[in-house]
Amino acid sequence: MKMLMKCLACNVYTMKKKCPSCDKETSSAHPPKYSFHDKYSSYRRKARFES
Ligand SMILES: [Zn+2]
């Protein structure tokens, strides 16, 4: 399954970890329910960026 990412600066969806237009790191475009596990998601997000 591919991970859908989103650039918060451009509001652009992409599959890449970096925005194709502004080259910033994208965030995973998950449903808002993930914010419930915020301390875990921030931990996972950090690990994901390093891989
Ligand atoms: Zn962007």
Side-chain angles (χ1 to χ4, degrees):
M1 177 179 167
K2 287 186 178 179
M3 187 72 68
L4 182 61
M5 309 294 284
K6 183 182 182 183
C7 174
L8 298 179
C10 309
N11 243 23
V12 166
Y13 288 93
T14 180
M15 294 295 178
K16 298 181 180 180
K17 288 185 177 181
K18 284 197 171 184
C19 176
S21 59
C22 73
D23 211 38
K24 285 187 177 181
E25 286 190 341
T26 53
S27 300
S28 57
H30 279 299
K33 67 174 182 177
Y34 272 75
S35 63
F36 181 77
H37 302 286
D38 193 51
K39 61 181 178 181
Y40 297 110
S41 65
S42 61
Y43 169 80
R44 286 181 183 171
R45 200 173 301 145
K46 192 173 186 180
R48 193 175 300 150
F49 280 153
E50 289 172 1
S51 64

mmCIF file of all heavy atoms in Angstrom:
data_model
loop_
_atom_site.group_PDB
_atom_site.id
_atom_site.type_symbol
_atom_site.label_atom_id
_atom_site.label_comp_id
_atom_site.label_asym_id
_atom_site.label_seq_id
_atom_site.Cartn_x
_atom_site.Cartn_y
_atom_site.Cartn_z
ATOM 1 N N MET A 1 0.839 -1.202 0.000
ATOM 2 C CA MET A 1 0.000 0.000 0.000
ATOM 3 C C MET A 1 0.874 1.252 0.000
ATOM 4 O O MET A 1 1.775 1.398 0.805
ATOM 5 C CB MET A 1 -0.886 -0.006 1.253
ATOM 6 C CG MET A 1 -1.736 1.248 1.379
ATOM 7 S SD MET A 1 -2.763 1.167 2.852
ATOM 8 C CE MET A 1 -3.299 2.871 2.916
ATOM 9 N N LYS A 2 0.571 2.131 -0.913
ATOM 10 C CA LYS A 2 1.340 3.369 -0.991
ATOM 11 C C LYS A 2 0.862 4.370 0.045
ATOM 12 O O LYS A 2 -0.322 4.437 0.369
ATOM 13 C CB LYS A 2 1.210 3.973 -2.390
ATOM 14 C CG LYS A 2 2.000 3.201 -3.430
ATOM 15 C CD LYS A 2 1.957 3.923 -4.752
ATOM 16 C CE LYS A 2 2.799 3.178 -5.786
ATOM 17 N NZ LYS A 2 2.745 3.849 -7.087
ATOM 18 N N MET A 3 1.798 5.144 0.536
ATOM 19 C CA MET A 3 1.487 6.152 1.530
ATOM 20 C C MET A 3 1.210 7.484 0.848
ATOM 21 O O MET A 3 2.045 7.987 0.107
ATOM 22 C CB MET A 3 2.680 6.285 2.488
ATOM 23 C CG MET A 3 2.392 7.176 3.664
ATOM 24 S SD MET A 3 1.264 6.414 4.835
ATOM 25 C CE MET A 3 2.299 5.088 5.454
ATOM 26 N N LEU A 4 0.033 7.996 1.095
ATOM 27 C CA LEU A 4 -0.290 9.294 0.512
ATOM 28 C C LEU A 4 0.228 10.404 1.418
ATOM 29 O O LEU A 4 -0.064 10.453 2.604
ATOM 30 C CB LEU A 4 -1.808 9.421 0.360
ATOM 31 C CG LEU A 4 -2.279 10.732 -0.287
ATOM 32 C CD1 LEU A 4 -1.716 10.877 -1.684
ATOM 33 C CD2 LEU A 4 -3.786 10.774 -0.326
ATOM 34 N N MET A 5 1.032 11.259 0.830
ATOM 35 C CA MET A 5 1.617 12.357 1.584
ATOM 36 C C MET A 5 1.033 13.677 1.094
ATOM 37 O O MET A 5 0.496 13.771 -0.007
ATOM 38 C CB MET A 5 3.139 12.372 1.404
ATOM 39 C CG MET A 5 3.796 11.027 1.667
ATOM 40 S SD MET A 5 3.664 10.486 3.376
ATOM 41 C CE MET A 5 4.902 11.554 4.118
ATOM 42 N N LYS A 6 1.173 14.692 1.928
ATOM 43 C CA LYS A 6 0.640 15.994 1.549
ATOM 44 C C LYS A 6 1.593 17.099 1.978
ATOM 45 O O LYS A 6 2.099 17.088 3.099
ATOM 46 C CB LYS A 6 -0.727 16.209 2.218
ATOM 47 C CG LYS A 6 -1.377 17.513 1.828
ATOM 48 C CD LYS A 6 -2.691 17.679 2.569
ATOM 49 C CE LYS A 6 -3.380 18.966 2.151
ATOM 50 N NZ LYS A 6 -4.623 19.193 2.912
ATOM 51 N N CYS A 7 1.811 18.056 1.083
ATOM 52 C CA CYS A 7 2.597 19.228 1.431
ATOM 53 C C CYS A 7 1.674 20.256 2.074
ATOM 54 O O CYS A 7 0.712 20.711 1.458
ATOM 55 C CB CYS A 7 3.248 19.818 0.182
ATOM 56 S SG CYS A 7 4.089 21.365 0.545
ATOM 57 N N LEU A 8 1.966 20.587 3.308
ATOM 58 C CA LEU A 8 1.111 21.530 4.028
ATOM 59 C C LEU A 8 1.301 22.958 3.534
ATOM 60 O O LEU A 8 0.446 23.812 3.717
ATOM 61 C CB LEU A 8 1.401 21.447 5.522
ATOM 62 C CG LEU A 8 1.125 20.086 6.152
ATOM 63 C CD1 LEU A 8 1.480 20.118 7.626
ATOM 64 C CD2 LEU A 8 -0.317 19.672 5.964
ATOM 65 N N ALA A 9 2.420 23.205 2.904
ATOM 66 C CA ALA A 9 2.691 24.554 2.403
ATOM 67 C C ALA A 9 1.936 24.821 1.101
ATOM 68 O O ALA A 9 1.367 25.885 0.914
ATOM 69 C CB ALA A 9 4.183 24.734 2.201
ATOM 70 N N CYS A 10 1.922 23.824 0.211
ATOM 71 C CA CYS A 10 1.295 23.998 -1.107
ATOM 72 C C CYS A 10 -0.098 23.376 -1.182
ATOM 73 O O CYS A 10 -0.820 23.605 -2.140
ATOM 74 C CB CYS A 10 2.151 23.355 -2.194
ATOM 75 S SG CYS A 10 3.862 23.854 -2.164
ATOM 76 N N ASN A 11 -0.444 22.561 -0.181
ATOM 77 C CA ASN A 11 -1.715 21.835 -0.226
ATOM 78 C C ASN A 11 -1.759 20.859 -1.399
ATOM 79 O O ASN A 11 -2.783 20.660 -2.024
ATOM 80 C CB ASN A 11 -2.886 22.814 -0.303
ATOM 81 C CG ASN A 11 -3.777 22.685 0.916
ATOM 82 O OD1 ASN A 11 -3.343 22.215 1.964
ATOM 83 N ND2 ASN A 11 -5.014 23.107 0.795
ATOM 84 N N VAL A 12 -0.621 20.259 -1.661
ATOM 85 C CA VAL A 12 -0.491 19.338 -2.783
ATOM 86 C C VAL A 12 -0.291 17.922 -2.255
ATOM 87 O O VAL A 12 0.474 17.708 -1.321
ATOM 88 C CB VAL A 12 0.713 19.748 -3.665
ATOM 89 C CG1 VAL A 12 1.083 18.640 -4.643
ATOM 90 C CG2 VAL A 12 0.380 21.031 -4.422
ATOM 91 N N TYR A 13 -1.002 16.978 -2.857
ATOM 92 C CA TYR A 13 -0.839 15.579 -2.487
ATOM 93 C C TYR A 13 0.218 14.927 -3.358
ATOM 94 O O TYR A 13 0.292 15.189 -4.557
ATOM 95 C CB TYR A 13 -2.152 14.823 -2.658
ATOM 96 C CG TYR A 13 -3.166 15.197 -1.608
ATOM 97 C CD1 TYR A 13 -4.098 16.202 -1.838
ATOM 98 C CD2 TYR A 13 -3.169 14.541 -0.385
ATOM 99 C CE1 TYR A 13 -5.030 16.548 -0.874
ATOM 100 C CE2 TYR A 13 -4.096 14.876 0.591
ATOM 101 C CZ TYR A 13 -5.023 15.881 0.343
ATOM 102 O OH TYR A 13 -5.930 16.213 1.293
ATOM 103 N N THR A 14 1.016 14.083 -2.740
ATOM 104 C CA THR A 14 2.074 13.390 -3.473
ATOM 105 C C THR A 14 2.375 12.069 -2.783
ATOM 106 O O THR A 14 1.973 11.841 -1.650
ATOM 107 C CB THR A 14 3.346 14.261 -3.535
ATOM 108 O OG1 THR A 14 4.349 13.556 -4.244
ATOM 109 C CG2 THR A 14 3.854 14.592 -2.152
ATOM 110 N N MET A 15 3.074 11.200 -3.471
ATOM 111 C CA MET A 15 3.526 9.947 -2.868
ATOM 112 C C MET A 15 4.942 10.091 -2.321
ATOM 113 O O MET A 15 5.491 9.179 -1.719
ATOM 114 C CB MET A 15 3.506 8.816 -3.911
ATOM 115 C CG MET A 15 2.113 8.470 -4.389
ATOM 116 S SD MET A 15 1.088 7.789 -3.057
ATOM 117 C CE MET A 15 -0.442 7.567 -3.965
ATOM 118 N N LYS A 16 5.540 11.229 -2.569
ATOM 119 C CA LYS A 16 6.939 11.414 -2.184
ATOM 120 C C LYS A 16 7.063 12.050 -0.804
ATOM 121 O O LYS A 16 6.145 12.678 -0.306
ATOM 122 C CB LYS A 16 7.645 12.275 -3.228
ATOM 123 C CG LYS A 16 7.647 11.611 -4.589
ATOM 124 C CD LYS A 16 8.367 12.469 -5.602
ATOM 125 C CE LYS A 16 8.362 11.785 -6.968
ATOM 126 N NZ LYS A 16 9.049 12.600 -7.981
ATOM 127 N N LYS A 17 8.249 11.891 -0.241
ATOM 128 C CA LYS A 17 8.496 12.458 1.083
ATOM 129 C C LYS A 17 8.807 13.947 1.009
ATOM 130 O O LYS A 17 8.799 14.637 2.020
ATOM 131 C CB LYS A 17 9.669 11.730 1.755
ATOM 132 C CG LYS A 17 9.300 10.323 2.194
ATOM 133 C CD LYS A 17 10.456 9.698 2.956
ATOM 134 C CE LYS A 17 10.092 8.319 3.468
ATOM 135 N NZ LYS A 17 11.203 7.723 4.231
ATOM 136 N N LYS A 18 9.109 14.391 -0.194
ATOM 137 C CA LYS A 18 9.367 15.813 -0.375
ATOM 138 C C LYS A 18 8.433 16.380 -1.436
ATOM 139 O O LYS A 18 8.159 15.740 -2.447
ATOM 140 C CB LYS A 18 10.829 16.051 -0.778
ATOM 141 C CG LYS A 18 11.771 15.902 0.394
ATOM 142 C CD LYS A 18 13.122 16.537 0.093
ATOM 143 C CE LYS A 18 13.986 16.580 1.344
ATOM 144 N NZ LYS A 18 15.263 17.272 1.111
ATOM 145 N N CYS A 19 7.986 17.580 -1.212
ATOM 146 C CA CYS A 19 7.071 18.222 -2.147
ATOM 147 C C CYS A 19 7.768 18.475 -3.485
ATOM 148 O O CYS A 19 8.878 19.010 -3.510
ATOM 149 C CB CYS A 19 6.600 19.536 -1.540
ATOM 150 S SG CYS A 19 5.560 20.490 -2.649
ATOM 151 N N PRO A 20 7.134 18.083 -4.590
ATOM 152 C CA PRO A 20 7.751 18.285 -5.908
ATOM 153 C C PRO A 20 7.836 19.754 -6.316
ATOM 154 O O PRO A 20 8.614 20.111 -7.203
ATOM 155 C CB PRO A 20 6.832 17.507 -6.860
ATOM 156 C CG PRO A 20 5.534 17.409 -6.153
ATOM 157 C CD PRO A 20 5.848 17.389 -4.671
ATOM 158 N N SER A 21 7.043 20.608 -5.681
ATOM 159 C CA SER A 21 7.053 22.010 -6.103
ATOM 160 C C SER A 21 7.871 22.915 -5.180
ATOM 161 O O SER A 21 8.531 23.839 -5.631
ATOM 162 C CB SER A 21 5.628 22.534 -6.237
ATOM 163 O OG SER A 21 4.945 22.432 -5.027
ATOM 164 N N CYS A 22 7.867 22.645 -3.856
ATOM 165 C CA CYS A 22 8.614 23.524 -2.957
ATOM 166 C C CYS A 22 9.749 22.794 -2.238
ATOM 167 O O CYS A 22 10.505 23.400 -1.513
ATOM 168 C CB CYS A 22 7.678 24.186 -1.949
ATOM 169 S SG CYS A 22 7.086 23.083 -0.667
ATOM 170 N N ASP A 23 9.827 21.475 -2.411
ATOM 171 C CA ASP A 23 10.924 20.676 -1.878
ATOM 172 C C ASP A 23 10.935 20.585 -0.350
ATOM 173 O O ASP A 23 11.920 20.229 0.257
ATOM 174 C CB ASP A 23 12.266 21.201 -2.378
ATOM 175 C CG ASP A 23 13.289 20.066 -2.509
ATOM 176 O OD1 ASP A 23 12.901 18.966 -2.926
ATOM 177 O OD2 ASP A 23 14.456 20.289 -2.163
ATOM 178 N N LYS A 24 9.801 20.919 0.274
ATOM 179 C CA LYS A 24 9.708 20.734 1.721
ATOM 180 C C LYS A 24 9.269 19.309 2.034
ATOM 181 O O LYS A 24 8.692 18.623 1.185
ATOM 182 C CB LYS A 24 8.686 21.720 2.299
ATOM 183 C CG LYS A 24 9.198 23.132 2.366
ATOM 184 C CD LYS A 24 8.206 24.010 3.096
ATOM 185 C CE LYS A 24 8.740 25.422 3.228
ATOM 186 N NZ LYS A 24 7.803 26.296 3.952
ATOM 187 N N GLU A 25 9.516 18.902 3.273
ATOM 188 C CA GLU A 25 9.072 17.574 3.675
ATOM 189 C C GLU A 25 7.559 17.543 3.780
ATOM 190 O O GLU A 25 6.939 18.461 4.333
ATOM 191 C CB GLU A 25 9.691 17.213 5.026
ATOM 192 C CG GLU A 25 11.164 16.874 4.915
ATOM 193 C CD GLU A 25 11.682 16.297 6.216
ATOM 194 O OE1 GLU A 25 11.030 16.490 7.259
ATOM 195 O OE2 GLU A 25 12.733 15.656 6.186
ATOM 196 N N THR A 26 6.972 16.476 3.266
ATOM 197 C CA THR A 26 5.519 16.345 3.306
ATOM 198 C C THR A 26 5.083 15.605 4.567
ATOM 199 O O THR A 26 5.875 14.912 5.197
ATOM 200 C CB THR A 26 5.027 15.579 2.073
ATOM 201 O OG1 THR A 26 5.727 14.350 1.969
ATOM 202 C CG2 THR A 26 5.232 16.397 0.805
ATOM 203 N N SER A 27 3.814 15.738 4.895
ATOM 204 C CA SER A 27 3.243 15.013 6.018
ATOM 205 C C SER A 27 2.270 13.973 5.491
ATOM 206 O O SER A 27 1.673 14.146 4.436
ATOM 207 C CB SER A 27 2.485 15.981 6.934
ATOM 208 O OG SER A 27 3.358 16.961 7.423
ATOM 209 N N SER A 28 2.122 12.878 6.221
ATOM 210 C CA SER A 28 1.205 11.844 5.780
ATOM 211 C C SER A 28 -0.230 12.353 5.851
ATOM 212 O O SER A 28 -0.636 12.969 6.828
ATOM 213 C CB SER A 28 1.373 10.595 6.638
ATOM 214 O OG SER A 28 1.181 10.898 7.987
ATOM 215 N N ALA A 29 -0.982 12.104 4.806
ATOM 216 C CA ALA A 29 -2.360 12.586 4.723
ATOM 217 C C ALA A 29 -3.311 11.553 5.306
ATOM 218 O O ALA A 29 -4.082 10.920 4.609
ATOM 219 C CB ALA A 29 -2.705 12.893 3.272
ATOM 220 N N HIS A 30 -3.221 11.392 6.608
ATOM 221 C CA HIS A 30 -4.070 10.429 7.278
ATOM 222 C C HIS A 30 -5.339 11.094 7.797
ATOM 223 O O HIS A 30 -5.383 12.309 7.965
ATOM 224 C CB HIS A 30 -3.323 9.810 8.460
ATOM 225 C CG HIS A 30 -2.389 8.719 8.049
ATOM 226 N ND1 HIS A 30 -2.806 7.574 7.428
ATOM 227 C CD2 HIS A 30 -1.048 8.610 8.176
ATOM 228 C CE1 HIS A 30 -1.764 6.813 7.190
ATOM 229 N NE2 HIS A 30 -0.676 7.428 7.628
ATOM 230 N N PRO A 31 -6.346 10.299 8.067
ATOM 231 C CA PRO A 31 -7.572 10.847 8.662
ATOM 232 C C PRO A 31 -7.282 11.481 10.013
ATOM 233 O O PRO A 31 -6.318 11.109 10.686
ATOM 234 C CB PRO A 31 -8.471 9.614 8.830
ATOM 235 C CG PRO A 31 -7.953 8.613 7.859
ATOM 236 C CD PRO A 31 -6.481 8.875 7.749
ATOM 237 N N PRO A 32 -8.123 12.413 10.447
ATOM 238 C CA PRO A 32 -7.902 13.151 11.697
ATOM 239 C C PRO A 32 -7.864 12.265 12.928
ATOM 240 O O PRO A 32 -7.356 12.676 13.964
ATOM 241 C CB PRO A 32 -9.109 14.096 11.762
ATOM 242 C CG PRO A 32 -9.577 14.214 10.354
ATOM 243 C CD PRO A 32 -9.268 12.903 9.700
ATOM 244 N N LYS A 33 -8.351 11.050 12.833
ATOM 245 C CA LYS A 33 -8.372 10.194 14.017
ATOM 246 C C LYS A 33 -6.960 9.888 14.510
ATOM 247 O O LYS A 33 -6.767 9.518 15.657
ATOM 248 C CB LYS A 33 -9.122 8.896 13.732
ATOM 249 C CG LYS A 33 -8.418 8.000 12.734
ATOM 250 C CD LYS A 33 -9.148 6.667 12.624
ATOM 251 C CE LYS A 33 -8.425 5.739 11.659
ATOM 252 N NZ LYS A 33 -9.082 4.414 11.591
ATOM 253 N N TYR A 34 -6.001 10.040 13.637
ATOM 254 C CA TYR A 34 -4.623 9.781 14.043
ATOM 255 C C TYR A 34 -4.113 10.811 15.045
ATOM 256 O O TYR A 34 -3.167 10.559 15.753
ATOM 257 C CB TYR A 34 -3.702 9.745 12.819
ATOM 258 C CG TYR A 34 -3.616 8.373 12.217
ATOM 259 C CD1 TYR A 34 -4.661 7.866 11.477
ATOM 260 C CD2 TYR A 34 -2.496 7.574 12.432
ATOM 261 C CE1 TYR A 34 -4.600 6.589 10.941
ATOM 262 C CE2 TYR A 34 -2.427 6.304 11.912
ATOM 263 C CZ TYR A 34 -3.485 5.811 11.157
ATOM 264 O OH TYR A 34 -3.415 4.546 10.645
ATOM 265 N N SER A 35 -4.720 11.983 15.086
ATOM 266 C CA SER A 35 -4.294 12.998 16.039
ATOM 267 C C SER A 35 -4.598 12.562 17.474
ATOM 268 O O SER A 35 -4.040 13.083 18.419
ATOM 269 C CB SER A 35 -4.990 14.323 15.729
ATOM 270 O OG SER A 35 -6.381 14.180 15.876
ATOM 271 N N PHE A 36 -5.485 11.575 17.622
ATOM 272 C CA PHE A 36 -5.799 11.038 18.939
ATOM 273 C C PHE A 36 -4.566 10.396 19.557
ATOM 274 O O PHE A 36 -4.339 10.478 20.754
ATOM 275 C CB PHE A 36 -6.937 10.022 18.813
ATOM 276 C CG PHE A 36 -7.361 9.428 20.123
ATOM 277 C CD1 PHE A 36 -8.160 10.152 20.998
ATOM 278 C CD2 PHE A 36 -6.964 8.154 20.469
ATOM 279 C CE1 PHE A 36 -8.546 9.611 22.207
ATOM 280 C CE2 PHE A 36 -7.343 7.596 21.682
ATOM 281 C CZ PHE A 36 -8.137 8.329 22.546
ATOM 282 N N HIS A 37 -3.751 9.776 18.719
ATOM 283 C CA HIS A 37 -2.517 9.154 19.188
ATOM 284 C C HIS A 37 -1.339 10.069 18.889
ATOM 285 O O HIS A 37 -0.355 9.657 18.290
ATOM 286 C CB HIS A 37 -2.305 7.805 18.510
ATOM 287 C CG HIS A 37 -3.434 6.854 18.722
ATOM 288 N ND1 HIS A 37 -3.642 6.233 19.924
ATOM 289 C CD2 HIS A 37 -4.415 6.440 17.909
ATOM 290 C CE1 HIS A 37 -4.715 5.462 19.822
ATOM 291 N NE2 HIS A 37 -5.206 5.567 18.613
ATOM 292 N N ASP A 38 -1.438 11.286 19.264
ATOM 293 C CA ASP A 38 -0.471 12.281 18.821
ATOM 294 C C ASP A 38 0.949 11.948 19.237
ATOM 295 O O ASP A 38 1.882 12.054 18.463
ATOM 296 C CB ASP A 38 -0.876 13.650 19.340
ATOM 297 C CG ASP A 38 -0.078 14.754 18.652
ATOM 298 O OD1 ASP A 38 -0.027 14.755 17.419
ATOM 299 O OD2 ASP A 38 0.509 15.579 19.362
ATOM 300 N N LYS A 39 1.126 11.537 20.475
ATOM 301 C CA LYS A 39 2.499 11.275 20.924
ATOM 302 C C LYS A 39 3.109 10.090 20.196
ATOM 303 O O LYS A 39 4.307 10.010 20.043
ATOM 304 C CB LYS A 39 2.541 11.065 22.430
ATOM 305 C CG LYS A 39 1.730 9.888 22.924
ATOM 306 C CD LYS A 39 1.842 9.793 24.438
ATOM 307 C CE LYS A 39 1.002 8.649 24.987
ATOM 308 N NZ LYS A 39 1.101 8.587 26.445
ATOM 309 N N TYR A 40 2.252 9.170 19.727
ATOM 310 C CA TYR A 40 2.780 8.045 18.963
ATOM 311 C C TYR A 40 3.006 8.426 17.517
ATOM 312 O O TYR A 40 3.964 8.016 16.904
ATOM 313 C CB TYR A 40 1.816 6.855 19.036
ATOM 314 C CG TYR A 40 1.658 6.331 20.429
ATOM 315 C CD1 TYR A 40 0.470 6.490 21.123
ATOM 316 C CD2 TYR A 40 2.721 5.673 21.044
ATOM 317 C CE1 TYR A 40 0.334 6.029 22.412
ATOM 318 C CE2 TYR A 40 2.599 5.206 22.339
ATOM 319 C CZ TYR A 40 1.398 5.380 23.020
ATOM 320 O OH TYR A 40 1.268 4.928 24.294
ATOM 321 N N SER A 41 2.104 9.193 16.960
ATOM 322 C CA SER A 41 2.235 9.557 15.553
ATOM 323 C C SER A 41 3.443 10.457 15.335
ATOM 324 O O SER A 41 4.120 10.351 14.321
ATOM 325 C CB SER A 41 0.968 10.236 15.040
ATOM 326 O OG SER A 41 0.769 11.459 15.700
ATOM 327 N N SER A 42 3.733 11.317 16.286
ATOM 328 C CA SER A 42 4.907 12.172 16.122
ATOM 329 C C SER A 42 6.177 11.335 16.189
ATOM 330 O O SER A 42 7.145 11.595 15.498
ATOM 331 C CB SER A 42 4.928 13.261 17.189
ATOM 332 O OG SER A 42 4.984 12.700 18.473
ATOM 333 N N TYR A 43 6.133 10.304 17.014
ATOM 334 C CA TYR A 43 7.273 9.393 17.092
ATOM 335 C C TYR A 43 7.457 8.648 15.776
ATOM 336 O O TYR A 43 8.550 8.534 15.253
ATOM 337 C CB TYR A 43 7.035 8.406 18.227
ATOM 338 C CG TYR A 43 8.006 7.252 18.261
ATOM 339 C CD1 TYR A 43 9.285 7.420 18.800
ATOM 340 C CD2 TYR A 43 7.645 6.006 17.779
ATOM 341 C CE1 TYR A 43 10.170 6.369 18.837
ATOM 342 C CE2 TYR A 43 8.524 4.945 17.809
ATOM 343 C CZ TYR A 43 9.790 5.121 18.341
ATOM 344 O OH TYR A 43 10.663 4.075 18.374
ATOM 345 N N ARG A 44 6.344 8.158 15.221
ATOM 346 C CA ARG A 44 6.416 7.412 13.963
ATOM 347 C C ARG A 44 6.830 8.333 12.823
ATOM 348 O O ARG A 44 7.557 7.940 11.934
ATOM 349 C CB ARG A 44 5.049 6.809 13.634
ATOM 350 C CG ARG A 44 4.706 5.624 14.494
ATOM 351 C CD ARG A 44 3.370 5.074 14.092
ATOM 352 N NE ARG A 44 2.957 3.967 14.947
ATOM 353 C CZ ARG A 44 1.757 3.431 14.906
ATOM 354 N NH1 ARG A 44 0.853 3.909 14.093
ATOM 355 N NH2 ARG A 44 1.449 2.438 15.706
ATOM 356 N N ARG A 45 6.333 9.553 12.848
ATOM 357 C CA ARG A 45 6.642 10.474 11.768
ATOM 358 C C ARG A 45 8.144 10.724 11.689
ATOM 359 O O ARG A 45 8.725 10.800 10.634
ATOM 360 C CB ARG A 45 5.899 11.795 12.009
ATOM 361 C CG ARG A 45 5.744 12.641 10.761
ATOM 362 C CD ARG A 45 4.857 13.836 11.059
ATOM 363 N NE ARG A 45 3.531 13.421 11.533
ATOM 364 C CZ ARG A 45 2.817 14.074 12.439
ATOM 365 N NH1 ARG A 45 3.277 15.162 12.987
ATOM 366 N NH2 ARG A 45 1.628 13.652 12.798
ATOM 367 N N LYS A 46 8.757 10.843 12.859
ATOM 368 C CA LYS A 46 10.187 11.088 12.917
ATOM 369 C C LYS A 46 10.944 9.903 12.323
ATOM 370 O O LYS A 46 11.849 10.062 11.541
ATOM 371 C CB LYS A 46 10.596 11.324 14.371
ATOM 372 C CG LYS A 46 11.997 11.872 14.512
ATOM 373 C CD LYS A 46 12.252 12.238 15.968
ATOM 374 C CE LYS A 46 13.599 12.930 16.129
ATOM 375 N NZ LYS A 46 13.856 13.283 17.531
ATOM 376 N N ALA A 47 10.523 8.719 12.676
ATOM 377 C CA ALA A 47 11.181 7.520 12.178
ATOM 378 C C ALA A 47 10.985 7.385 10.680
ATOM 379 O O ALA A 47 11.874 6.960 9.967
ATOM 380 C CB ALA A 47 10.609 6.306 12.885
ATOM 381 N N ARG A 48 9.803 7.759 10.206
ATOM 382 C CA ARG A 48 9.506 7.611 8.793
ATOM 383 C C ARG A 48 10.394 8.535 7.948
ATOM 384 O O ARG A 48 10.831 8.194 6.885
ATOM 385 C CB ARG A 48 8.026 7.946 8.562
ATOM 386 C CG ARG A 48 7.518 7.534 7.197
ATOM 387 C CD ARG A 48 6.034 7.782 7.092
ATOM 388 N NE ARG A 48 5.283 7.038 8.095
ATOM 389 C CZ ARG A 48 4.135 7.430 8.623
ATOM 390 N NH1 ARG A 48 3.608 8.567 8.266
ATOM 391 N NH2 ARG A 48 3.511 6.703 9.510
ATOM 392 N N PHE A 49 10.644 9.718 8.465
ATOM 393 C CA PHE A 49 11.454 10.661 7.698
ATOM 394 C C PHE A 49 12.904 10.200 7.601
ATOM 395 O O PHE A 49 13.612 10.559 6.683
ATOM 396 C CB PHE A 49 11.411 12.040 8.353
ATOM 397 C CG PHE A 49 10.161 12.799 8.027
ATOM 398 C CD1 PHE A 49 9.671 13.747 8.896
ATOM 399 C CD2 PHE A 49 9.481 12.576 6.823
ATOM 400 C CE1 PHE A 49 8.522 14.469 8.594
ATOM 401 C CE2 PHE A 49 8.344 13.289 6.509
ATOM 402 C CZ PHE A 49 7.859 14.236 7.407
ATOM 403 N N GLU A 50 13.331 9.420 8.556
ATOM 404 C CA GLU A 50 14.720 8.998 8.544
ATOM 405 C C GLU A 50 14.962 7.772 7.665
ATOM 406 O O GLU A 50 16.072 7.474 7.325
ATOM 407 C CB GLU A 50 15.178 8.696 9.977
ATOM 408 C CG GLU A 50 15.303 9.960 10.799
ATOM 409 C CD GLU A 50 15.555 9.677 12.259
ATOM 410 O OE1 GLU A 50 15.648 8.488 12.617
ATOM 411 O OE2 GLU A 50 15.643 10.630 13.033
ATOM 412 N N SER A 51 13.902 7.077 7.324
ATOM 413 C CA SER A 51 14.073 5.882 6.500
ATOM 414 C C SER A 51 14.138 6.235 5.024
ATOM 415 O O SER A 51 13.689 7.286 4.619
ATOM 416 C CB SER A 51 12.920 4.908 6.750
ATOM 417 O OG SER A 51 11.709 5.474 6.339
HETATM 418 ZN ZN ZN B 1 5.063 22.232 -1.285
#
